[in-house]
Amino acid sequence: MSPAITSPVPPRGPADHDVRDQIVVAATEHFSQYGYEKTTVSDLAKTIGFSKAYIYKFFESKQAIGEMICSNCLREIEAEVVAAVSAVDRPPEKLRRMFKAIVEASLRLFFRDRKLYEIAISSATERWRSAIAHEEFVRQLILEVLQQGRDSGEFERKTPIDETAAAIYLVMHPYINPLLLRHSFDHTDEAPALLAGLVLRSLSP
Amino acid sequence: MSPAITSPVPPRGPADHDVRDQIVVAATEHFSQYGYEKTTVSDLAKTIGFSKAYIYKFFESKQAIGEMICSNCLREIEAEVVAAVSAVDRPPEKLRRMFKAIVEASLRLFFRDRKLYEIAISSATERWRSAIAHEEFVRQLILEVLQQGRDSGEFERKTPIDETAAAIYLVMHPYINPLLLRHSFDHTDEAPALLAGLVLRSLSP
């Protein structure tokens, strides 16, 4: 850690977002070592070398820092999912890729490095804004791909689109929410292909 | 509790299954009051008025008693599901009823009275025989209804039946396994109809 960061007086005139980033980077490191639940804002202040009051100028609570870390992580999953979906043209293939990318990115980010696991669990348990926004992202993406498939004539149009979207969301839910995902490990290898296959059969015109 | 039960010497000549039932009834009561995890076989022995050694003649461990309670509970869910499925003739309607009955019976037995909640959670976490047998029951029932629907021409036959059955099982899994079900509460009202609808669309010939 650089001397500037460990100084109890923040460096003169850093842009606010730089300080926020500094706090988030240090907090991520600290949480991953000592756990999110056990860490207090005082612990963080001591580690970073800021005063507690200074941290509170940028984040109103520990949860707000956790939210930011969680958001960053969820944005990463979302970027991967969007990339996977955009890489192909046809809506059926988009849907297949979406299932696969969500499961893979969620598993890796929530569990493989276990860094964000505890924060993700808190976020899902306490229904943080970041978790709700992530679910909303998935719902929207499902709706978009459905609409594209209906427009291209590749998906059926008899069922109200909201009903179809809600059902597909429910099918994906155990692989989006880390609380359920940790109990779905036995199925994560086969689930994306099996479920995407079932969903695509349900969409055939 | 009757004097015969509280006597440290078991009553003369009871049939083995009667004693087993006696132990299971007393244990269910005790677990529901003090919790499954915290209770020891010694606690149970004291409450029932049997010696610990006598209990071990009938059950090799606390888990064996828990398994029996759990099995009874799961058999009850299964009986309800079978009744719901048998009450109608057509395979599509059978599948709809199956989704609804599984969610309703599981919610009621695992959560509404909370009596069996902790045992159900242990059973699912530690993959007890009773939990595995229950999953197997659901898989078999799905396969049977699928076969009936294929025979009657109401379900498509192109997809290998094992693949179809495995995918439908995955869709139901969050509502069968109590570890997932406790995180699916937000969806239990709408899920049975939405998911059964999606699955039935996927099965149309």
Side-chain angles (χ1 to χ4, degrees):
Chain A
M1 211 170 274
S2 82
I5 299 177
T6 54
S7 153
V9 178
R12 188 164 49 88
D16 276 8
H17 60 85
D18 287 345
V19 181
R20 288 175 68 89
D21 283 354
Q22 234 174 59
I23 295 172
V24 166
V25 168
T28 307
E29 183 59 33
H30 200 270
F31 290 155
S32 82
Q33 207 165 346
Y34 302 99
Y36 171 75
E37 290 299 340
K38 279 186 197 155
T39 300
T40 65
V41 173
S42 300
D43 296 335
L44 284 181
K46 220 172 288 170
T47 311
I48 310 179
F50 287 169
S51 71
K52 212 169 123 182
Y54 189 66
I55 289 185
Y56 277 121
K57 275 180 64 177
F58 296 93
F59 293 97
E60 63 179 6
S61 61
K62 181 179 77 167
Q63 182 180 323
I65 305 176
E67 283 257 18
M68 180 66 81
I69 296 173
C70 194
S71 282
N72 291 344
C73 162
L74 295 174
R75 288 311 83 73
E76 225 177 294
I77 294 178
E78 290 166 12
E80 270 189 59
V81 173
V82 166
V85 168
S86 311
V88 288
D89 277 340
R90 311 265 36 99
E93 190 55 23
K94 282 179 187 289
L95 217 50
R96 266 189 214 288
R97 297 285 181 107
M98 187 177 173
F99 268 90
K100 198 163 173 295
I102 280 186
V103 174
E104 283 174 4
S106 305
L107 279 177
R108 196 177 57 254
L109 273 167
F110 293 151
F111 300 99
R112 296 266 157 85
D113 69 4
R114 294 196 63 90
K115 216 172 180 170
L116 291 145
Y117 174 76
E118 209 190 334
I119 300 180
I121 293 293
S122 293
S123 146
T125 307
E126 296 159 16
R127 310 250 338 116
W128 292 359
R129 264 197 319 260
S130 45
I132 293 171
H134 183 56
E135 292 183 4
E136 198 41 49
F137 160 85
V138 176
R139 284 181 198 278
Q140 269 309 316
L141 192 57
I142 292 172
L143 211 49
E144 274 170 39
V145 177
L146 276 181
Q147 192 58 60
Q148 288 169 21
R150 286 180 175 219
D151 291 346
S152 70
E154 283 161 291
F155 293 161
E156 62 97 2
R157 297 177 220 187
K158 273 175 299 177
T159 319
I161 194 165
D162 288 343
E163 184 187 327
T164 312
I168 297 175
Y169 177 79
L170 280 182
V171 171
M172 285 191 183
H173 184 248
Y175 307 91
I176 298 164
N177 184 313
L179 293 170
L180 282 93
L181 187 56
R182 64 178 164 176
H183 299 302
S184 305
F185 282 152
D186 289 351
H187 305 298
T188 47
D189 281 348
E190 48 167 23
L194 279 174
L195 292 174
L198 183 145
V199 164
L200 287 174
R201 288 192 294 281
S202 82
L203 293 172
S204 74
Chain B
M1 211 170 273
S2 81
I5 299 176
T6 54
S7 153
V9 178
R12 187 164 50 89
D16 275 8
H17 60 86
D18 287 345
V19 180
R20 287 175 71 89
D21 284 354
Q22 233 175 60
I23 295 172
V24 166
V25 168
T28 307
E29 182 59 34
H30 201 269
F31 290 154
S32 82
Q33 207 164 347
Y34 303 99
Y36 171 75
E37 291 298 341
K38 280 187 196 156
T39 301
T40 64
V41 172
S42 300
D43 297 334
L44 284 182
K46 220 172 288 171
T47 311
I48 311 179
F50 286 168
S51 72
K52 213 169 123 182
Y54 189 65
I55 289 185
Y56 278 122
K57 274 180 66 176
F58 296 93
F59 293 97
E60 63 179 6
S61 62
K62 182 178 78 167
Q63 182 180 323
I65 304 176
E67 282 256 21
M68 180 67 79
I69 295 173
C70 194
S71 283
N72 291 344
C73 162
L74 296 174
R75 287 312 84 74
E76 225 176 295
I77 295 178
E78 290 165 12
E80 270 190 58
V81 174
V82 166
V85 168
S86 309
V88 287
D89 277 340
R90 310 264 37 98
E93 190 54 24
K94 281 179 188 290
L95 217 50
R96 265 189 214 288
R97 299 284 182 107
M98 188 177 171
F99 268 89
K100 199 164 175 292
I102 280 186
V103 174
E104 283 175 4
S106 304
L107 279 176
R108 196 176 57 254
L109 273 166
F110 292 151
F111 300 100
R112 297 265 157 86
D113 70 3
R114 293 195 63 89
K115 216 173 181 170
L116 290 145
Y117 174 75
E118 209 191 332
I119 299 180
I121 293 294
S122 293
S123 147
T125 308
E126 296 160 17
R127 311 252 335 118
W128 292 1
R129 264 197 319 259
S130 45
I132 293 171
H134 183 57
E135 293 183 4
E136 198 41 50
F137 160 85
V138 176
R139 283 181 198 278
Q140 269 308 318
L141 192 57
I142 291 172
L143 211 49
E144 275 170 38
V145 176
L146 277 181
Q147 192 57 62
Q148 289 170 20
R150 286 180 176 219
D151 291 347
S152 70
E154 284 161 290
F155 294 160
E156 62 98 2
R157 297 176 220 186
K158 274 175 297 178
T159 319
I161 194 165
D162 288 343
E163 185 187 328
T164 312
I168 297 176
Y169 177 78
L170 280 181
V171 171
M172 285 192 183
H173 183 248
Y175 307 92
I176 298 165
N177 184 313
L179 293 170
L180 284 92
L181 187 56
R182 63 179 166 176
H183 300 301
S184 305
F185 282 151
D186 289 352
H187 305 299
T188 47
D189 280 347
E190 47 166 23
L194 279 174
L195 292 173
L198 183 146
V199 164
L200 287 174
R201 289 192 292 281
S202 82
L203 293 172
S204 74

